[in-house]
Amino acid sequence: MSIEENKELVRSFIEAVPKDLDDVDRIIDQFVAPDAVEHNPETGQTLDLEGAKQYAKGVYRAFPDLKEVVKDMVAEGDKVATRSVATGTHKGEFSGIPPTGKTFSVDYFEIYRVVDGKIVEHWWVLDRYKMLVQLGVISEAEAA
């Protein structure tokens, strides 16, 4: 695939919003290779496809209206990097934090590796402290 095709694949994946938790599996299976690896900075571990699906479902349980809007995208070779804004409302438990009902909006950075039209590797990081401040879990002083 060309660099432009890789970018379009990644954009389509990011913009695919699940209708329900079962839809998470369908979307991931559509865009992600069965042997893909998710590099999860939350745990410091790598996840296989099933682990990534379970993690994504947990995120959508916590933030059912989660949305990511791509602001910048660059690509070279088999890698696509994005800077997005992620927004959502905290309606379910997230990382042991009970729902606050508050919304967040934070920068979200990702790198995808694409091979033969499927995502085979994914790295990401978001501004976790800013998110926790907006959810009212920690104060700005604690985040500093």
Side-chain angles (χ1 to χ4, degrees):
M1 290 181 67
S2 71
I3 287 175
E4 289 306 313
E5 289 170 320
N6 287 349
K7 288 169 67 176
E8 184 54 36
L9 175 89
V10 167
R11 183 179 301 281
S12 295
F13 177 64
I14 289 170
E15 293 176 353
V17 177
K19 298 177 195 78
D20 55 41
L21 290 179
D22 290 335
D23 206 25
V24 171
D25 287 342
R26 182 193 61 76
I27 291 168
I28 290 175
D29 288 340
Q30 178 181 348
F31 292 98
V32 181
D35 60 346
V37 176
E38 168 86 9
H39 300 276
N40 186 327
E42 299 286 322
T43 64
Q45 300 173 334
T46 57
L47 302 174
D48 63 9
L49 185 64
E50 288 307 311
K53 286 179 180 180
Q54 293 309 311
Y55 184 81
K57 287 179 184 178
V59 170
Y60 278 104
R61 274 188 209 97
F63 305 99
D65 61 346
L66 182 66
K67 184 176 179 185
E68 185 179 347
V69 176
V70 176
K71 298 297 185 178
D72 293 299
M73 181 180 285
V74 295
E76 184 170 325
D78 62 357
K79 293 202 177 72
V80 178
T82 64
R83 179 186 67 86
S84 302
V85 174
T87 58
T89 307
H90 188 202
K91 294 186 176 184
E93 181 183 325
F94 177 68
S95 297
I97 302 165
T100 63
K102 296 182 179 181
T103 60
F104 75 92
S105 178
V106 296
D107 287 328
Y108 188 55
F109 300 89
E110 299 172 278
I111 298 174
Y112 296 85
R113 190 166 69 87
V114 178
V115 175
D116 296 329
K118 293 280 189 173
I119 296 164
V120 297
E121 216 166 355
H122 178 231
W123 299 261
W124 60 274
V125 65
L126 62 80
D127 188 341
R128 174 74 112 153
Y129 287 111
K130 184 177 177 183
M131 179 180 159
L132 294 175
V133 168
Q134 291 175 18
L135 296 179
V137 176
I138 61 173
S139 70
E140 287 189 42
E142 289 173 304

